Amino acid sequence: QLVENNGGNGMNASTGADATNYFYNMPSNRLELWAYLESSRMSKPVFREFYTEKDGPVTEERRMRTDNSPFGMLMEQFLNMAFSAHPYHHSTIGYMSDIESISRQDCIDFYDKWYIGNNFTIAVVGDVELKEVKKLAKKYFSDVPGPGKLPVIETVEPVQKGEKRIVVMDDTQPIIMAGYHKGGMSHPDDAVYDAIADIAGQGRTSRLHTKLVKEDKLCVAAGCFSGFPGNKYPNLMLVYAIPSKDVSTAEVEAALYAEFDKLVADGVTEEELAGVKKRTKANFIRSLGGNQGMAGQLCAYQALTGDWRDMFKTVEKIEAVTVEDVKRVAAEIFVTSNRTVAIVETEEEE
């Protein structure tokens, strides 16, 4: 209410596999109020007794996103199997038993461990002066605890030795999900991964949509994207498909793999790659069109790569990708032993 009464809007937060984000917009003449509010939240937070929320919105979100969602349920099973060692196998919403048993003290302990000065990044974008921002940062954020000793994630997901597969029977439409292990955001081939995902399965002109949905009508939806469930550490190229009525999951799965085999054998065309570069540049520039979008990008690059300046290398990296790079990397990741598959098969009523 205080933020809104002072012209603020868009106040929200989000949690992913790599980071938790807090964000909102304030008028530039309320910069000091923002610094006061945020520093108070960081240095002297008030943890209200949250049991009523825990037993309401939080548990309901778990039910809505996972327990009562065939896609969410399959996703959780899929991640548990795809990552046997790395923390990416944990669901960000947590398991129901976690939500039901967590205490206020658990939250305080978590906050004290992770919410320290050397583990958060702040981006301020707008009609403000650097000198003023630095002065307010020193005045208000000096009380934030830290720097402290951050736990380091040292566990590296071991190389997968063979295909992993799970089939779940449920009273719902069939779903197919496949993931291929790949490098993280700082990997030299990160832009190549993005190019492969774009050509293979993003948008109505992608290969999977064109072949499986429009031409052969095997699916009502099919696609893929890079960087799941997070980007900071080695992750997955995720492929998904929802079969059309009376089309078996086996038929769709075979068609998916046939498209990737074709990508490995024949590569992509210069025209396809040129389209990727054009779309990537347009989307990147579009993401910087608003202050909040630019602030989010700056924070993400700092947190995930260690340097916010890497944001400005995005276009340069995608421009450097060649058709030879795409074919080489596709051959590296699209192999059976590197694949995790999760399928929902429709459970027939007796």
Side-chain angles (χ1 to χ4, degrees), residues 7 20 38 48 53 60 66 79 89 92 112 119 143 175-176 187 200 237 253-254 263 276 301 322 326 342 346:
T20 294
E38 285 305 297
R48 69 183 185 277
E53 181 170 319
E60 182 58 30
T66 305
L79 280 178
H89 70 259
T92 53
D112 291 342
N119 195 40
D143 292 337
I175 303 170
I176 301 169
H187 193 280
M237 178 84 70
E253 192 178 359
L263 182 63
V276 171
Y301 275 88
T322 66
V326 172
T346 303

Side-chain angles (χ1 to χ4, degrees), residues 146-167:
K149 185 177 181 181
L150 278 173
V152 178
I153 297 177
E154 298 176 330
T155 301
V156 177
E157 184 68 22
V159 175
Q160 193 167 304
K161 299 297 185 181
E163 184 187 72
K164 298 178 182 180
R165 175 177 289 266
I166 184 172
V167 177

Side-chain angles (χ1 to χ4, degrees), residues 12-15 20-24 38 41-42 111 115:
N12 213 329
S14 64
T15 294
T20 294
N21 308 288
Y22 301 90
F23 46 89
Y24 56 96
E38 285 305 297
R41 171 157 62 179
M42 290 295 175
Y111 195 94
Y115 282 71

Side-chain angles (χ1 to χ4, degrees), residues 163-340:
E163 184 187 72
K164 298 178 182 180
R165 175 177 289 266
I166 184 172
V167 177
V168 178
M169 304 302 296
D170 195 22
D171 183 20
T172 186
Q173 68 188 109
I175 303 170
I176 301 169
M177 199 176 291
Y180 296 86
H181 288 276
K182 52 174 276 300
M185 195 170 181
S186 296
H187 193 280
D189 288 324
D190 185 55
V192 186
Y193 300 136
D194 290 341
I196 291 173
D198 188 301
I199 293 170
Q202 292 179 5
R204 301 181 67 83
T205 61
S206 66
R207 291 188 175 192
L208 293 181
H209 185 86
T210 299
K211 180 65 174 173
L212 275 66
V213 178
K214 291 200 298 188
E215 294 180 1
D216 295 348
K217 295 180 172 50
L218 296 174
C219 306
V220 295
C224 75
F225 56 90
S226 178
F228 180 81
N231 276 306
K232 184 176 177 68
Y233 303 100
N235 51 73
L236 299 174
M237 178 84 70
L238 182 68
V239 184
Y240 65 91
I242 300 176
S244 300
K245 183 176 174 56
D246 297 328
V247 177
S248 70
T249 55
E251 188 177 358
V252 172
E253 192 178 359
L256 284 172
Y257 302 152
E259 286 301 305
F260 289 117
D261 289 342
K262 182 180 178 182
L263 182 63
V264 171
D266 303 333
V268 299
T269 66
E270 292 284 0
E271 184 180 7
E272 285 178 311
L273 188 55
V276 171
K277 295 178 179 181
K278 184 177 181 180
R279 287 189 295 273
T280 300
K281 286 188 285 187
N283 291 335
F284 174 66
I285 293 170
R286 196 176 296 119
S287 73
L288 305 180
N291 289 349
Q292 189 163 299
M294 182 178 289
Q297 289 275 24
L298 289 166
C299 275
Y301 275 88
Q302 178 67 34
L304 302 184
T305 72
D307 191 346
W308 55 270
R309 298 169 186 83
D310 288 338
M311 183 184 81
F312 299 104
K313 301 175 184 176
T314 301
V315 173
E316 174 188 332
K317 287 183 177 179
I318 195 66
E319 282 287 5
V321 176
T322 66
V323 291
E324 289 78 17
D325 290 329
V326 172
K327 189 172 182 179
R328 169 181 58 83
V329 173
E332 292 173 359
I333 63 174
F334 292 126
V335 293
T336 304
S337 61
N338 191 40
R339 186 169 68 210
T340 299

